[in-house]
Amino acid sequence: MYLRLFPSSTDPLYTYTCLGAFLGSLGIYEVLSPWVSRRVTSCYERLPRAQQFEWNNKITATINDVLCTVFTMYAMFFDDKLRYDDLRSDSHWCKLAGAIILGYFIADILEMFLRPKIKWDTSMFLHHLAAAIMTYVTLFWYSFAQFYGTILMMMEASSPFLNIRNLLLLAGWSKSSRPYTSVSALFVITFFVFRVAIIPPFWYAVIHQIRVNPDVHLPEFRVGRDVGLLTAIVLNALNVYWFTFILAKTKRKLFPLKHKE
């Protein structure tokens, strides 16, 4: 017997991975990151308590985002079981990435409620909630079209650069420094490629499958299909919303206003 988070037919490895990601994220955030950071850099101790929490959060997020990105990239390019036209695809690497990111999102949502004055962000809460529901339902309980779920999880590829950029600021680097500008450029590029540019081909492929693949309309896929479509709309809308702010900041950076003396 083991603690069951997913259907009985699901390999217990994914339950342990999800629990490990959840407990590991809390452990890194609350214990490991503060302990290591105090010994690695002197700037951590000088930060106000709220910024120390932000520092720990970015460290935790970066570790989980990198793992998720590595596994989803491997699944997308090297896993023969993952096919765009096979609604019953069952990719070990996709599920492993899903279990990790699910555990992390639940831990981060918990931190939002524990420290609302420091951590609460409504758009980020909606992102985590939609992504967690999508992962839990479409990858494990009502497995449906894992190829498209993998694409949605690959969106996390831009997150490490955002986290590193914020860590550089907390560490005292200026916004005009080369490390900061380089990481910022990588963030903007990866955000556009993995979160925005992918939207048209993603929905073209989804709509095409709805039109030509009769399996999409089978009763066994109804819950997974409907939840997957709804959460994909929410995640895509949030990414477009965030990208408008990224574009505005990038425009101000590249074309600063010239004030008359």
Side-chain angles (χ1 to χ4, degrees), residues 45-245:
E45 201 65 54
R46 295 195 298 266
L47 291 172
R49 189 163 178 79
Q51 290 187 337
Q52 287 183 353
F53 284 130
E54 182 182 358
W55 176 287
N56 299 332
N57 176 257
K58 299 309 177 186
I59 294 293
T60 306
T62 300
I63 294 172
N64 283 281
D65 292 334
V66 168
L67 288 174
C68 179
T69 300
V70 169
F71 291 143
T72 52
M73 290 287 187
Y74 184 87
M76 181 60 66
F77 295 109
F78 299 105
D79 193 344
D80 294 335
K81 294 181 179 179
L82 200 64
R83 294 174 50 192
Y84 77 95
D85 58 348
D86 184 4
L87 304 183
R88 294 180 175 83
S89 294
D90 188 20
S91 168
H92 165 68
W93 297 105
C94 176
K95 284 186 173 181
L96 197 60
I100 291 171
I101 209 67
L102 177 60
Y104 162 66
F105 281 153
I106 295 173
D108 207 41
I109 289 174
L110 178 61
E111 290 287 350
M112 288 185 189
F113 282 103
L114 292 176
R115 297 187 176 94
K117 293 183 179 180
I118 298 174
K119 278 278 297 171
W120 185 261
D121 182 325
T122 301
S123 61
M124 191 60 66
F125 170 75
L126 291 175
H127 169 271
H128 284 9
L129 183 62
I133 292 173
M134 181 275 294
T135 302
Y136 190 67
V137 174
T138 65
L139 293 187
F140 296 106
W141 278 98
Y142 299 93
S143 183
F144 175 76
Q146 288 185 12
F147 177 87
Y148 300 96
T150 302
I151 292 177
L152 293 175
M153 288 192 292
M154 282 173 59
M155 292 178 178
E156 295 302 313
S158 66
S159 297
F161 300 108
L162 174 63
N163 297 328
I164 294 171
R165 186 182 72 171
N166 291 339
L167 286 170
L168 288 173
L169 282 179
L170 292 172
W173 292 84
S174 70
K175 291 185 177 181
S176 59
S177 65
R178 179 169 294 181
Y180 182 87
T181 55
S182 298
V183 174
S184 293
L186 288 171
F187 166 64
V188 174
I189 292 170
T190 53
F191 192 101
F192 175 73
V193 171
F194 290 99
R195 292 179 182 259
V196 179
I198 195 66
I199 293 176
F202 173 85
W203 283 105
Y204 175 83
V206 169
I207 293 172
H208 178 71
Q209 287 300 308
I210 292 174
R211 291 178 58 191
V212 305
N213 192 338
D215 288 350
V216 172
H217 307 285
L218 292 175
E220 66 180 285
F221 291 133
R222 181 174 61 85
V223 175
R225 179 196 64 219
D226 293 348
V227 170
L229 290 174
L230 179 60
T231 53
I233 291 172
V234 172
L235 292 171
N236 289 163
L238 285 170
N239 287 327
V240 172
Y241 170 74
W242 286 328
F243 194 62
T244 59
F245 290 97

